[in-house]
Amino acid sequence: MASSLTKDSVRPGTPGSEKTFFGHPRGLATLFMTEMWERFSYYGMKALLPLYLVAPGGLHLNAATATAIYSVYVALVYLLALPGGWFADRVLGPRKTVAVAGFIIMLGHLTLALPSAGTFYAGLGLVAIGSGLLKANISTMVGHLYDGMDGTRRDGGFTLFYIGINLGAFAAPLVIGTVGENVNWHLGFALAALGMALGLGQYLLGGRHLSERSKEVPTPLSAAEKASTLRKAGLWAAVAVVFYAIVGFSGVYTLNWLLVPITIAGLVIPIVVIARIKRDKDLNQAEQSKMSAYIWFFVAAAVFWMIYDQGGSTLSIFADSSAKNTIFGWGFPVSWYQSVNPVMIMALAPVFAWMWLALNRRGKEPSTATKFASGLVLIGASFFLFLAPLSIADGGHKAAAMWLVAIYFVQTVGELTLSPVGLSVTTKMAPQKYASQMMGVWFLAVTAGDATTGLLSIAGVDLNKTGIVTLEAVIAVVAGFAAWMYRKKVRELMGDVH
């Protein structure tokens, strides 16, 4: 996408104040392009992942195990966003942390490109670590560009940033997915590494346009704290190595020895982290109130992502086995379904950004709680729609591709009412003490949702059955109505945040 830089009058001292990026600070272009290439690498790999796991030419696992691995992997990516935020707050600062993250992600994709099951799982681990370091911090740096600006402009900036995410996500399955499915799985993973290399290079070249605040380490570790942290990390690493060595050499090791602890951690850690922040006596009354409101948004988001992220696992595996995957007689790779959501995001995000601004000018913009409620109802409706192709497949027929496209469309509309708004409200409601870490807390909602899906798959629940799909849809719709009913209470707790 072209940068479309234009002269504009902005607040003095804003990075890149001579030019803007679609009316926003010039640094947004740097972060936009960095995130675009990182998402190209991530979503390309993710589009291939469930298909590679079940393919005879891949790891040839059953659908339940593939869904469990996929869900646990995504949960781990977002779980690691929290220590990623901590690392920036206490050690390197956001800007340097993102540079380190890009290198680790690139190395992870190169490891995935090696034709070995052992290196494959190591590559997944590296990509998860790098993504965790990057995710919270790059979004925090977007927030830094809007210090002192009104919330409406910040919302618009995050919506533009969201387009960058989805531009990379759109292109990835078309390029990486096609090569991986039709040429060689591991060559597809190598292309993901190339995408991250391009993103990292662009980030390093465009860093001068970012806010000076992104260089700061808000609460640096003292020498004693560094020594203590290293000792504790070394101890836990040693415990893990010894434990898995014993399990491995005893001959009882299965993949569940790795998957189950991560899924449990994905459910327990979000609760522990939020409770710890809520109990922090350093927070003033206003910050405590905002955290109480934030819990509502967190729970709503966890339910949303539990269903939404199955678009890359449950729906993809269903398409691979039970859909025609043709339009007007023209066949296409299954991974291409993963481009449907991002292209719709790019088409609809500007419409939503314009709509929120137009409603705001008239004093009729829905509250954040109402937007979240709408997202939950829509994600539930998408799984009610999923019941149609499931019924067709149960009747022994292949479901038309347009059924899946329709499901992704409904999910996209729901995403636009919840995800960019959630990113924005997190930066606005974050206590100063937890500036970068709060973005990690937001991503823990994704962890909780995907960990739930992973736990169900590990337990042997078939997520492509009518009963479980109906149950998930009902839970989401009921949660949406609950969020709407309590919207006034949540609004009071948010204080001065709009």
Side-chain angles (χ1 to χ4, degrees):
M1 178 177 288
S3 293
S4 185
L5 297 176
T6 59
K7 294 284 182 182
D8 195 12
S9 58
V10 296
R11 183 172 57 90
T14 299
S17 58
E18 300 81 8
K19 294 183 178 181
T20 67
F21 179 66
F22 292 104
H24 290 268
R26 175 63 180 85
L28 184 62
T30 296
L31 299 176
F32 176 102
M33 295 296 291
T34 304
E35 184 75 346
M36 183 193 76
W37 282 114
E38 189 273 333
R39 294 291 87 182
F40 174 85
S41 69
Y42 176 77
Y43 280 101
M45 181 277 290
K46 205 167 83 161
L48 288 182
L49 180 57
L51 304 175
Y52 174 77
L53 291 173
V54 300
L59 297 187
H60 205 192
L61 304 172
N62 61 51
T65 303
T67 300
I69 292 172
Y70 178 93
S71 299
V72 168
Y73 165 70
V74 177
L76 185 59
V77 166
Y78 289 92
L79 178 63
L80 291 172
L82 187 66
W86 177 90
F87 190 76
D89 276 349
R90 307 301 307 274
V91 183
L92 280 186
R95 191 181 300 190
K96 289 182 180 178
T97 299
V98 168
V100 171
F103 178 79
I104 295 174
I105 293 170
M106 182 178 65
L107 182 62
H109 288 304
L110 287 173
T111 306
L112 287 172
L114 300 175
S116 165
T119 57
F120 179 81
Y121 290 113
L124 283 182
L126 286 170
V127 176
I129 292 168
S131 297
L133 286 169
L134 184 141
K135 289 196 70 63
N137 294 303
I138 198 165
S139 296
T140 297
M141 286 194 291
V142 173
H144 289 167
L145 297 173
Y146 295 89
D147 287 346
M149 299 185 191
D150 64 84
T152 300
R153 194 173 186 198
R154 179 186 292 256
D155 285 357
F158 271 102
T159 300
L160 274 176
F161 180 66
Y162 217 62
I163 294 175
I165 293 174
N166 288 281
L167 187 60
F170 164 70
L174 303 181
V175 178
I176 295 173
T178 301
V179 172
E181 284 191 69
N182 296 337
V183 181
N184 180 277
W185 294 107
H186 298 285
L187 182 57
F189 295 130
L191 285 177
L194 176 62
M196 189 64 254
L198 292 170
L200 180 59
Q202 188 280 149
Y203 176 76
L204 295 174
L205 290 172
R208 66 186 184 278
H209 299 295
L210 302 177
S211 168
E212 287 299 305
R213 186 179 168 194
S214 67
K215 292 181 179 179
E216 297 174 3
V217 181
T219 53
L221 291 172
S222 65
E225 287 175 321
K226 286 180 181 179
S228 175
T229 300
L230 286 172
R231 280 197 305 271
K232 290 177 182 177
L235 176 62
W236 282 109
V239 168
V241 169
V242 170
F243 175 79
Y244 282 104
I246 293 172
V247 172
F249 286 120
S250 66
V252 299
Y253 177 81
T254 65
L255 197 56
N256 283 349
W257 281 93
L258 183 62
L259 299 181
V260 172
I262 296 175
T263 56
I264 293 174
L267 294 172
V268 173
I269 289 176
I271 297 172
V272 172
V273 168
I274 291 178
R276 181 176 62 84
I277 295 175
K278 190 71 178 66
R279 291 198 307 265
D280 192 334
K281 292 187 167 96
D282 289 342
L283 303 188
N284 59 40
Q285 186 175 356
E287 289 175 325
Q288 286 283 1
S289 180
K290 289 173 185 176
M291 280 303 303
S292 295
Y294 192 77
I295 292 172
W296 287 86
F297 296 127
F298 183 92
V299 173
V303 174
F304 179 90
W305 297 117
M306 177 185 70
I307 295 176
Y308 178 90
D309 274 346
Q310 289 183 57
S313 55
T314 303
L315 288 178
S316 185
I317 292 173
F318 173 85
D320 191 38
S321 62
S322 304
K324 292 179 181 177
N325 306 322
T326 60
I327 294 180
F328 302 120
W330 174 69
F332 56 88
V334 175
S335 57
W336 283 23
Y337 282 112
Q338 301 309 307
S339 287
V340 175
N341 167 263
V343 76
M344 289 179 176
I345 287 285
M346 289 186 292
L348 296 176
V351 176
F352 272 75
W354 170 84
M355 181 176 67
W356 298 143
L357 286 172
L359 291 172
N360 180 268
R361 284 194 294 267
R362 298 174 186 174
K364 295 182 179 180
E365 182 180 5
S367 67
T368 301
T370 300
K371 292 175 183 177
F372 266 64
S374 300
L376 285 167
V377 171
L378 286 165
I379 202 68
S382 76
F383 258 36
F384 278 124
L385 187 59
F386 186 25
L387 295 175
L390 282 174
S391 298
I392 293 170
D394 286 343
H397 304 286
K398 294 277 188 178
M402 292 308 295
W403 280 113
L404 294 170
V405 171
I407 293 169
Y408 286 121
F409 172 77
V410 175
Q411 291 187 345
T412 299
V413 177
E415 180 184 2
L416 284 168
T417 66
L418 183 144
S419 189
V421 177
L423 284 169
S424 180
V425 80
T426 297
T427 64
K428 289 187 284 188
M429 295 176 67
Q432 183 60 38
K433 184 177 178 180
Y434 299 98
S436 293
Q437 292 179 60
M438 273 302 291
M439 193 58 71
V441 172
W442 164 252
F443 291 128
L444 283 180
V446 186
T447 295
D450 280 294
T452 302
T453 301
L455 204 57
L456 290 171
S457 298
I458 292 168
V461 176
D462 187 345
L463 297 175
N464 270 316
K465 291 297 184 183
T466 300
I468 188 66
V469 169
T470 302
L471 177 61
E472 289 182 86
V474 169
I475 289 172
V477 171
V478 170
F481 278 110
W484 183 79
M485 288 177 63
Y486 284 93
R487 66 193 184 282
K488 292 182 179 178
K489 175 64 175 176
V490 173
R491 177 67 192 86
E492 291 174 5
L493 292 171
M494 290 172 68
D496 59 355
V497 173
H498 298 284

